[in-house]
Amino acid sequence: MMTTYKPAKNAQEQIEYLKTNKKITFNSIHEQQARDILYKYNYINVITPYKHHFSKFDKDGNEVKIDGKHIYERDVEFSEYFNLFKNERLQYPIIIKNILGCELRFKSIMAYRILTSTEINDENKLVAYLGSVRLRIPMNSDYSDSRLEHMNNHIKQLEKSISGYADIYCFLTE
């Protein structure tokens, strides 16, 4: 089945859509400034992640939609969206630092566990181990065929890159 995408809107069409469908106003940030912001940062980044801040919720906490579109009960200044966008990005250095720390610890622990609980001591044994992981993935998951293919391709890439490392521990923690 082929997916059909929504037609792209130019900046002026986006502004009109925001006014008509999202009840967005342009007072502190005028329409031309908003067009420039959407051009530089994209609608998907500035508007889409924050629409739930302004949409209507029912008594059970579910977003209210009519014909698949969110309902907005009040006018929302464009600057409210843009401020949410900017403030989130101020958090990125903290988020990235924590992700990198988590990734480092995860890779180190996984490398330690793999190397101390198996007898992998050379490139051939590591390739065989990765091959066994690739074979076990579909048996232990409900992943779609495309997800399985992506995971298997990633493991194949790992197998190809093994020879570029001085030792297995460096490869596993890279």
Side-chain angles (χ1 to χ4, degrees):
M1 184 175 132
M2 185 174 74
T3 303
T4 304
Y5 301 112
K6 295 178 192 176
K9 291 178 175 39
N10 66 36
Q12 185 57 44
E13 291 169 331
Q14 291 174 15
I15 295 296
E16 293 305 318
Y17 178 82
L18 291 171
K19 290 191 305 192
T20 305
N21 296 290
K22 306 279 188 214
K23 296 183 80 171
I24 294 181
T25 60
F26 301 90
N27 297 309
S28 61
I29 294 178
H30 300 288
E31 287 186 27
Q32 181 58 50
Q33 293 169 296
R35 277 193 293 276
D36 292 344
I37 289 167
L38 293 173
Y39 177 75
K40 283 191 243 180
Y41 302 112
N42 196 303
Y43 184 100
I44 296 286
N45 293 319
V46 177
I47 303 298
T48 302
Y50 310 106
K51 62 186 173 189
H52 65 277
H53 286 270
F54 308 109
S55 62
K56 180 179 179 178
F57 289 84
D58 65 20
K59 61 180 173 63
D60 296 324
N62 301 310
E63 288 181 296
V64 176
K65 295 182 180 182
I66 296 177
D67 296 328
K69 294 184 178 185
H70 292 89
I71 305 302
Y72 300 93
E73 295 184 295
R74 71 172 179 92
D75 289 348
V76 178
E77 176 61 39
F78 182 84
S79 63
E80 292 180 69
Y81 278 94
F82 191 51
N83 287 336
L84 287 168
F85 167 79
K86 291 187 302 185
N87 289 334
E88 180 180 284
R89 268 126 189 95
L90 292 174
Q91 302 302 311
Y92 280 13
I94 296 166
I95 294 168
I96 290 169
K97 177 184 168 196
N98 289 321
I99 289 171
L100 291 174
C102 181
E103 181 184 23
L104 173 64
R105 287 188 293 281
F106 176 79
K107 285 181 173 183
S108 295
I109 291 167
M110 288 303 297
Y112 176 83
R113 292 290 186 192
I114 289 169
L115 294 173
T116 59
S117 65
T118 66
E119 295 188 17
I120 297 173
N121 55 15
D122 65 38
E123 184 178 316
N124 293 331
K125 288 180 182 176
L126 183 56
V127 169
Y129 176 78
L130 291 172
S132 72
V133 169
R134 190 172 55 248
L135 291 173
R136 285 191 308 255
I137 289 172
M139 292 184 279
N140 300 322
S141 69
D142 294 323
Y143 292 126
S144 68
D145 289 341
S146 63
R147 174 64 69 175
L148 290 170
E149 182 181 354
H150 174 77
M151 292 163 55
N152 284 326
N153 287 338
H154 187 68
I155 292 171
K156 286 177 191 174
Q157 287 301 108
L158 289 173
E159 290 170 348
K160 289 178 185 177
S161 67
I162 289 170
S163 61
Y165 290 84
D167 78 29
I168 294 169
Y169 189 80
C170 292
F171 169 77
L172 290 172
T173 58
E174 177 66 16

